Amino acid sequence: MPASTVALQAAFVALLFLFVIWVARSSLRDLRRPDEQRWAGQAAPVGQERTGMHSVVGGAQAAVDPRLVVARAPGHAPGMEYAIGTGAVLGRGDQAEIRLEDLFASSRHARLTRQGALIVLEDLGSTNGTYLNEELVSGPQPLHQGDRVRIGDSEFTFVTG
Amino acid sequence: MSARNRELFGLIPASLLITAGFAAVFVQERPVVANASLTYGAAFLGLCLVAHLVIRWRLPDADPYLFPIVAVLASVGLVVIYRLDDTLAREQAQWFVVGLGFFIATIVVLRDYRVLERYRYVIASASILLLLLPRIPGLGAQVNGAYLGVRLGSITFQPAEFAKIGIIIFLASYLRDTRLLLVQRKIAGITVPRLKHLGPLLVVWGVAMLLLVFIRDLGSSLMFFGGFLAMVYVATNRLVFPIAGFSLFAVGAWFFASTVGHVSDRIDAWRHPFDAALYDKVGGSYQLAQSLFAQADGGVWGSGIGESLVKVGLPPDQAVLLPAAQTDLIYAVIVNELGLVGACALLLVYLLFVERGLRIAVLARDSFSKLLATGLATVVALQVFVIVGGVTKVIPLTGVTLPFVSYGGSSIVANFVIVALLLLVSDRARREARA
């Protein structure tokens, strides 16, 4: 085997390894970044949703000052905020903390409750259903920063901190 | 460095690989080193840059490492294929361009990939039809006892490569709806879904078994079914599903291995590759035994690019030492020429691909995206396992391609569509996570 082939082959394999190291190092850095950390935590089972698919880091990061921000809703100005505190009911009825003027909303449509560090969204057997990130909610679902909650034509964004 | 600049930076090693690899082959085969290898490297870089600009334009938040990983794999493939046969390499380069075309088209046309959910039953039926195409008389082509190819005019294509994408889209969408129903009932502490929820999943198992019988290919069947089980596991977090699934698969595979002649031949060749009678038999263990010899010959550091003995003598007295070296056995050629070190590097690159894919699934916010990314990443992982496992005698050897590396148009195009889908999911997930 001529020396040039040996050199080129060594360069070829070395390049492959350098590439692997570069991607692996950057991936590790990614994992340690706090803004992505939340999504990579251990499963904290919530309510009936014990499949752990939408896992969150339990305990450490309590939802500080959780709010629902109006994205679009009949009778509400976009950007308006509702503080959730320890919980709130969304609906068309008089008892609802967050009043919806939406023809598709039931009188007690959905409920937000605090469970430990989390705010959990639950549909209260409404006629038209509650959507979390455009998925129909069945059973209690934990909310994450930036999640979109939709009831009929009313849409909210969940924010904390 | 921003995500897109990191992606751009990652394309440099890929084009350097092409340059170094082609130069090594040139040195080996021609007395004069042509500077053509630099031209190839530059052309490759140019093509990747086009794709990179499209990603920059449409998917600014997508995962920055996935595309460079694919470029690196493709460049390794091109170098090894070029070393085997320069006509094939030219064709492969053309397929690479076609693949990039499909990649760009998928990204541009399918901006909101969630519309795919609406067409899930159409997609599922089309995929099953595609899988059965090779068995239609006059269309199908039997290669080494397996029915995988379809001949359309002058091109042969492998419908299973495209069917796998469709089936994953269908399963992601189906499991998104039913995953919570699957975990509702427990008997004696074990999750046992009701029959009506389990029915469709049993249908998938049936399809995997049909594949085994009709296409006669254990590899593809294992790939589909394994991908499916991974998705069910992610959707439900219940170990009982993969355990029950693999047991069912094992029972089915064992039954067909002992009854279908073609399958049992493969098993025999796998159990005893060095048996003299099997080695000499047509369709026996020759290919596997030669692959093992070639890998052992490579050693730790490899025999050098262009050094492995694929064919001996000149036509018409030519003896083929490594049958299907550019497709099934490309991994054996890589181990022979780059050694254990080079092969490990290649497997690590695949590992990173799968890591990025699963990471996209972790970041994704809605169930459909999560399941889609999981399924796509797993199916690529399983495909690598099936072919590398086959070539190294871990499982019976079957003819699936090594993604992005093996010669084969369908494989390149289908895998580029998979990467495009992963990047689409990733763009949305990372944008939402940042907001």
Side-chain angles (χ1 to χ4, degrees):
Chain A
M1 211 172 9
S4 54
T5 318
V6 177
L8 282 170
Q9 190 200 336
F12 190 85
V13 174
L15 261 174
L16 269 177
F17 272 106
L18 283 175
F19 178 76
V20 166
I21 291 167
W22 176 67
V23 178
R25 277 197 53 200
S26 318
S27 299
L28 275 177
R29 235 191 350 253
D30 257 15
L31 280 175
R32 297 202 186 98
R33 266 221 314 265
D35 62 320
E36 290 193 1
Q37 211 168 35
R38 289 174 297 147
W39 315 110
Q42 282 142 10
V46 177
Q48 286 159 12
E49 160 71 302
R50 289 173 194 283
T51 60
M53 199 161 109
H54 298 277
S55 62
V56 284
V57 177
Q61 289 171 315
V64 182
D65 185 21
R67 306 182 302 280
L68 276 189
V69 181
V70 176
R72 58 184 172 93
H76 295 267
M80 200 176 147
E81 292 190 359
Y82 285 104
I84 294 163
T86 53
V89 171
L90 290 92
R92 208 140 64 99
D94 293 337
Q95 274 99 47
E97 276 90 359
I98 301 177
R99 284 280 296 280
L100 303 172
E101 287 161 41
D102 192 311
L103 290 172
F104 293 102
S106 304
S107 58
R108 281 169 58 83
H109 193 107
R111 183 169 54 197
L112 294 165
T113 38
R114 182 181 274 278
Q115 290 189 9
L118 294 164
I119 298 293
V120 176
L121 170 70
E122 194 179 0
D123 189 82
L124 296 169
S126 67
T127 315
N128 293 310
T130 305
Y131 292 82
L132 173 57
N133 296 325
E134 292 309 309
E135 264 182 62
L136 191 61
V137 170
S138 56
Q141 298 278 351
L143 291 183
H144 308 298
Q145 168 79 1
D147 274 349
R148 296 185 314 282
V149 177
R150 185 172 71 77
I151 291 169
D153 289 326
S154 311
E155 189 167 352
F156 301 88
T157 313
F158 178 76
V159 289
T160 60
Chain B
M1 214 171 5
S2 80
R4 292 280 73 80
N5 289 346
R6 261 182 283 171
E7 179 177 88
L8 189 60
F9 177 76
L11 294 176
I12 298 170
S15 29
L16 285 178
L17 272 177
I18 283 270
T19 314
F22 274 74
V25 182
F26 280 135
V27 170
Q28 193 67 17
E29 289 179 351
R30 288 169 190 63
V32 204
V33 185
N35 56 8
S37 64
L38 278 176
T39 321
Y40 287 134
F44 184 81
L45 186 62
L47 284 171
C48 290
L49 276 178
V50 173
H52 167 76
L53 288 175
V54 173
I55 300 174
R56 216 171 244 270
W57 168 46
R58 295 310 287 260
L59 308 173
D61 288 311
D63 190 286
Y65 304 108
L66 206 58
F67 188 67
I69 288 172
V70 168
V72 161
L73 290 172
S75 54
V76 172
L78 280 171
V79 167
V80 179
I81 293 167
Y82 180 72
R83 171 255 165 283
L84 290 168
D85 187 334
D86 45 0
T87 351
L88 286 183
R90 206 165 302 127
E91 284 175 26
Q92 178 79 346
Q94 283 163 6
W95 282 118
F96 180 75
V97 176
V98 174
L100 277 181
F102 272 81
F103 174 80
I104 291 169
T106 311
I107 288 175
V108 173
V109 175
L110 210 63
R111 188 104 204 241
D112 187 6
Y113 59 91
R114 291 193 294 193
V115 299
L116 291 172
E117 274 195 280
R118 265 184 248 156
Y119 305 106
R120 58 175 155 184
Y121 288 108
V122 178
I123 292 174
S125 347
S127 308
I128 291 176
L129 193 72
L130 273 176
L131 281 175
L132 296 176
L133 268 186
R135 281 314 292 258
I136 296 171
L139 262 183
Q142 191 184 25
V143 183
N144 299 330
Y147 292 87
L148 285 169
V150 166
R151 195 163 290 132
L152 276 182
S154 60
I155 15 176
T156 326
F157 83 103
Q158 302 220 333
E161 294 278 355
F162 297 96
K164 74 182 177 195
I165 305 174
I167 288 186
I168 285 163
I169 293 172
F170 166 74
L171 286 174
S173 154
Y174 180 80
L175 287 170
R176 180 193 81 98
D177 281 356
T178 51
R179 64 191 189 89
L180 291 175
L181 298 174
L182 287 173
V183 298
Q184 264 175 0
R185 194 171 62 155
K186 273 188 174 223
I187 296 172
I190 299 170
T191 308
V192 183
R194 286 169 213 286
L195 198 61
K196 68 171 176 187
H197 301 142
L198 202 57
L201 305 189
L202 287 172
V203 168
V204 177
W205 174 75
V207 170
M209 288 297 115
L210 271 180
L211 273 181
L212 204 56
V213 181
F214 274 108
I215 302 181
R216 304 193 179 171
D217 191 65
L218 181 74
S220 318
S221 175
L222 185 65
M223 200 168 86
F224 281 111
F225 199 63
F228 158 66
L229 287 182
M231 289 170 85
V232 176
Y233 179 59
V234 168
T236 61
N237 193 21
R238 296 291 187 279
L239 258 180
V240 65
F241 289 110
I243 292 171
F246 271 118
S247 319
L248 271 175
F249 187 83
V251 170
W254 173 81
F255 174 75
F256 290 118
S258 43
T259 49
V260 180
H262 165 75
V263 180
S264 71
D265 282 355
R266 285 277 172 108
I267 304 277
D268 281 344
W270 166 58
R271 299 294 299 141
H272 313 285
F274 302 119
D275 183 289
L278 282 172
Y279 183 83
D280 290 329
K281 195 169 134 190
V282 176
S285 64
Y286 181 77
Q287 194 185 18
L288 178 57
Q290 290 297 337
S291 139
L292 293 172
F293 289 145
Q295 289 173 64
D297 183 49
V300 175
W301 302 105
S303 55
I305 294 176
E307 291 285 337
S308 83
L309 287 172
V310 176
K311 293 170 182 158
V312 179
L314 294 166
D317 298 325
Q318 202 173 40
V320 181
L321 289 184
L322 285 174
Q326 74 279 18
T327 53
D328 299 2
L329 288 197
I330 198 156
Y331 181 75
V333 177
I334 293 170
V335 180
N336 189 326
E337 303 199 340
L338 298 178
L340 185 64
V341 193
C344 283
L346 184 70
L347 292 181
L348 282 173
V349 177
Y350 278 116
L351 206 60
L352 288 175
F353 180 93
V354 177
E355 188 264 342
R356 292 322 294 180
L358 293 179
R359 174 135 197 86
I360 290 170
V362 169
L363 274 174
R365 299 292 275 281
D366 57 307
S367 308
F368 176 66
S369 310
K370 259 183 202 301
L371 289 167
L372 185 65
T374 309
L376 294 173
T378 331
V379 93
V380 172
L382 281 167
Q383 188 164 348
V384 176
F385 169 75
V386 163
I387 186 62
V388 173
V391 168
T392 50
K393 194 179 166 283
V394 175
I395 57 169
L397 178 58
T398 49
V400 299
T401 55
L402 194 55
F404 300 108
V405 174
S406 284
Y407 172 77
S410 321
S411 167
I412 288 267
V413 171
N415 286 318
F416 263 116
V417 173
I418 289 184
V419 175
L421 286 173
L422 280 173
L423 286 176
L424 281 163
V425 175
S426 158
D427 180 57
R428 174 178 229 113
R430 288 167 62 109
R431 195 170 48 235
E432 285 177 353
R434 223 186 30 184

